[in-house]
Amino acid sequence: MTHRIAILGTGNVAWHLARALENAGHIIAHIYNRDAQKAKQFGLDYFNASTGSSLNLSEINADIFILAISDDSIEEVASSLSLPENAILCHTSGSKPLKVLGYAPTENIGVFYPLQTFSKGKKVDFENIPICIEAENRFILDALRALGDSISSKTQEISSQQRKAIHLAAVFACNFTNHMFTVAQSILQNQEMDFELLKPLIVETLNKSFEIGPERAQTGPAIREDLKTLDLQFDSLKSDPELAEIYRLISQHIIDYYAN
Amino acid sequence: MTHRIAILGTGNVAWHLARALENAGHIIAHIYNRDAQKAKQFGLDYFNASTGSSLNLSEINADIFILAISDDSIEEVASSLSLPENAILCHTSGSKPLKVLGYAPTENIGVFYPLQTFSKGKKVDFENIPICIEAENRFILDALRALGDSISSKTQEISSQQRKAIHLAAVFACNFTNHMFTVAQSILQNQEMDFELLKPLIVETLNKSFEIGPERAQTGPAIREDLKTLDLQFDSLKSDPELAEIYRLISQHIIDYYAN
């Protein structure tokens, strides 16, 4: 089914999502931004959509309204909206629950969360991006599932509680992992070496982790309980006591994890 | 220059290295393993080399002897060897210093360390693998550099102290990173979700980290100093106090790192 879609917001999520939806045959009918100029540029340059900075959208000819704005603005914008009768309103946030739309002027609320990070100017293949959908009634859920299926092969129902877990898991798997790289880079730079040197090893290690699963792919001194190496490496970090403690705790967590 | 090479050891490093060297035109002349049967299988099935379990190798017609055995056996095997006059002896370990070969029956000692993890049956492209070489005199160093250049475009001189730093950096960038994936997997499984769900996000995040460097690629609640989210996520980990403490310390380390 082809939808007429209004996009609220003009950031990276808005941009990539609007493009994917249009490519899938939907019509991008309207673009909202509190800055009318931004809405105009986005809507006219790319989508031939009507644009504006008004939250009174009751006259807009669209059946799905997608809030692709910053997490902290969702509640306020949703509660200030006017929408056409029967329109569906959904947000795209990974960290906000469905009920943040509780003050919106409709009960047709849902979540349409593409689980990916989007960068400006970088092409995205939605086909493999999980689309996490949530709604309280079957009608809205079915509509969001069909919308998700029209751009991705990985649409799935994910509760607010599950999205919270995804967000936490992503902090470990993405944010902390990235910081581990930064730490590794510092260690190498202190000895006048470049981070590039480690890349082939990192790529191969992480590929293996994906192939056989991280639990089975674990290597290193901690899982071997190589206490001599653990002590030596811990001692070598003493100039950064915080980092030494991180080293000790993660190593201990690995030992304990595999002991159980 | 074509070398005649003896390989001591029949594990993954021995296998991949011997193949790469033979492909580069060198001759694999001899295979040693303390288990004669293993040496025979390895040497005859693949390399048409002489084989044996004797450490008296003084009659072997080879000019470079490569110790590709477990780290903890290097010192003992090296000190028990007999070698032809003028032969070069090197080990392939990332974590052992050059001087672990100090009791070998030659002063022509070096390190020839391919900075990669090797799995059985998985093809390896040596061209992009850094070969870390070390030796105390120029003659040996030049020979090892030429040997490295014959299989890789990334041969570089790396001191024992630098190799120690590489080893530590790899613990953070590979071992700890992998464990972060395991933790993420557990968090998802606790809410009946699969690790697969996060993979597209992880791949994109790590690609970005490689493209623009991890320092600039950092995202997440810690670098935003989003204390509300940090508190909520810390609290949600209270069933595993060790993990909660890891969360707190890494987040704090990120905050401090970018504050300086």
Side-chain angles (χ1 to χ4, degrees):
Chain A
M1 184 183 165
T2 299
H3 291 281
R4 295 184 57 89
I5 297 169
I7 305 275
L8 291 84
T10 57
N12 286 329
V13 175
W15 160 245
H16 288 288
L17 197 54
R19 258 186 85 117
L21 290 166
E22 194 186 55
N23 285 340
H26 304 290
I27 292 150
I28 305 302
H30 184 78
I31 304 293
Y32 158 86
N33 191 295
R34 63 185 163 189
D35 176 341
Q37 209 44 45
K38 279 190 186 163
K40 194 173 172 184
Q41 195 180 0
F42 189 98
L44 298 183
D45 285 2
Y46 304 114
F47 299 107
N48 197 28
S50 65
T51 69
S53 61
S54 166
L55 286 174
N56 182 350
L57 301 172
S58 52
E59 301 301 318
I60 300 295
N61 179 14
D63 56 336
I64 299 184
F65 290 70
I66 300 179
L67 280 164
I69 57 180
S70 68
D71 287 359
D72 291 334
S73 315
I74 296 173
E75 188 154 18
E76 196 199 320
V77 169
S79 64
S80 313
L81 279 172
S82 296
L83 295 174
E85 217 170 332
N86 294 324
I88 294 174
L89 176 69
C90 55
H91 74 65
T92 56
S93 164
S95 61
K96 291 290 174 183
L98 172 60
K99 66 173 195 293
V100 76
L101 300 179
Y103 296 104
T106 172
E107 288 184 351
N108 297 338
I109 57 172
V111 178
F112 191 83
Y113 165 49
L115 178 41
Q116 184 53 287
T117 176
F118 299 101
S119 308
K120 208 181 163 177
K122 191 166 175 189
K123 234 184 157 178
V124 173
D125 175 18
F126 266 85
E127 176 64 17
N128 293 307
I129 295 177
I131 307 285
C132 305
I133 57 165
E134 183 181 6
E136 271 166 359
N137 82 59
R138 180 62 44 193
F139 165 72
I140 308 298
L141 199 63
D142 285 347
L144 293 181
R145 190 189 313 278
L147 190 68
D149 287 345
S150 73
I151 57 172
S152 162
S153 64
K154 293 186 175 171
T155 305
Q156 64 178 290
E157 193 180 346
I158 294 285
S159 69
S160 288
Q161 197 184 354
Q162 284 177 315
R163 255 185 308 115
K164 228 167 101 180
I166 291 172
H167 199 224
L168 179 62
V171 167
F172 281 95
C174 299
N175 305 153
F176 286 179
T177 289
N178 184 73
H179 189 60
M180 296 294 118
F181 291 171
T182 301
V183 168
Q185 183 173 43
S186 300
I187 292 168
L188 293 175
Q189 284 174 346
N190 283 342
Q191 293 290 331
E192 278 148 34
M193 291 178 291
D194 203 282
F195 184 53
E196 288 294 322
L197 194 65
L198 263 190
K199 279 189 187 175
L201 179 64
I202 295 174
V203 169
E204 186 72 12
T205 304
L206 302 191
N207 280 343
K208 198 176 161 197
S209 181
F210 275 11
E211 274 165 32
I212 66 174
E215 206 172 60
R216 285 176 58 206
Q218 189 63 45
T219 58
I223 193 173
R224 288 197 311 273
E225 299 197 42
D226 176 353
L227 300 182
K228 204 175 128 194
T229 299
L230 291 172
D231 282 347
L232 281 171
Q233 295 196 326
F234 176 77
D235 286 345
S236 74
L237 290 165
K238 61 184 174 227
S239 67
D240 184 345
E242 230 184 21
L243 190 60
E245 187 61 9
I246 289 172
Y247 178 93
R248 196 185 66 77
L249 276 178
I250 300 179
S251 297
Q252 190 61 50
H253 200 262
I254 293 171
I255 293 173
D256 295 346
Y257 186 92
Y258 289 92
N260 295 333
Chain B
M1 182 182 165
T2 300
H3 291 281
R4 293 184 57 88
I5 296 169
I7 305 275
L8 291 84
T10 56
N12 286 330
V13 175
W15 161 245
H16 288 288
L17 196 53
R19 259 186 84 117
L21 290 167
E22 193 186 54
N23 285 340
H26 304 289
I27 292 150
I28 305 303
H30 184 77
I31 304 292
Y32 158 86
N33 190 295
R34 63 185 163 189
D35 177 341
Q37 210 43 44
K38 279 190 187 163
K40 195 172 171 183
Q41 198 182 356
F42 189 98
L44 299 183
D45 286 1
Y46 304 114
F47 299 107
N48 197 28
S50 65
T51 68
S53 62
S54 167
L55 287 174
N56 183 349
L57 301 172
S58 51
E59 300 302 318
I60 300 296
N61 180 13
D63 57 335
I64 299 184
F65 289 70
I66 299 179
L67 279 164
I69 58 180
S70 69
D71 287 359
D72 291 334
S73 314
I74 296 173
E75 187 154 20
E76 196 200 319
V77 169
S79 64
S80 312
L81 280 173
S82 296
L83 295 174
E85 218 171 330
N86 294 325
I88 294 175
L89 176 69
C90 55
H91 75 64
T92 55
S93 165
S95 61
K96 292 290 174 183
L98 173 60
K99 67 175 195 292
V100 77
L101 300 179
Y103 296 105
T106 172
E107 289 185 349
N108 298 338
I109 57 172
V111 177
F112 191 84
Y113 166 49
L115 179 41
Q116 185 51 286
T117 177
F118 300 102
S119 307
K120 208 179 162 179
K122 191 167 177 189
K123 235 183 156 179
V124 174
D125 175 18
F126 267 85
E127 177 64 17
N128 293 307
I129 295 177
I131 307 285
C132 305
I133 57 166
E134 182 182 5
E136 273 166 357
N137 81 59
R138 180 61 44 191
F139 164 72
I140 309 297
L141 199 64
D142 285 348
L144 293 180
R145 188 188 314 277
L147 190 69
D149 286 346
S150 73
I151 58 173
S152 162
S153 65
K154 293 188 176 170
T155 306
Q156 65 177 290
E157 194 180 344
I158 294 284
S159 69
S160 288
Q161 198 185 355
Q162 284 177 316
R163 253 183 310 115
K164 228 167 99 178
I166 290 172
H167 198 223
L168 179 62
V171 167
F172 281 96
C174 299
N175 305 151
F176 287 178
T177 289
N178 184 73
H179 190 59
M180 295 295 117
F181 290 170
T182 301
V183 168
Q185 184 173 42
S186 299
I187 292 169
L188 293 175
Q189 284 174 347
N190 283 343
Q191 293 290 332
E192 277 148 33
M193 291 178 290
D194 203 284
F195 184 54
E196 288 294 323
L197 195 65
L198 262 190
K199 279 190 187 175
L201 180 64
I202 295 175
V203 169
E204 186 72 12
T205 305
L206 302 191
N207 280 343
K208 197 176 163 198
S209 180
F210 275 11
E211 272 165 33
I212 66 173
E215 207 172 59
R216 285 177 57 207
Q218 189 65 46
T219 57
I223 193 171
R224 288 198 311 271
E225 299 198 40
D226 175 354
L227 300 182
K228 204 175 128 194
T229 300
L230 290 172
D231 281 347
L232 280 171
Q233 296 197 324
F234 177 77
D235 287 344
S236 75
L237 289 165
K238 61 183 175 228
S239 66
D240 184 345
E242 230 183 21
L243 189 60
E245 187 61 10
I246 288 171
Y247 178 92
R248 196 186 66 78
L249 276 179
I250 300 179
S251 297
Q252 190 60 52
H253 200 262
I254 293 171
I255 293 173
D256 295 345
Y257 185 92
Y258 289 92
N260 295 332

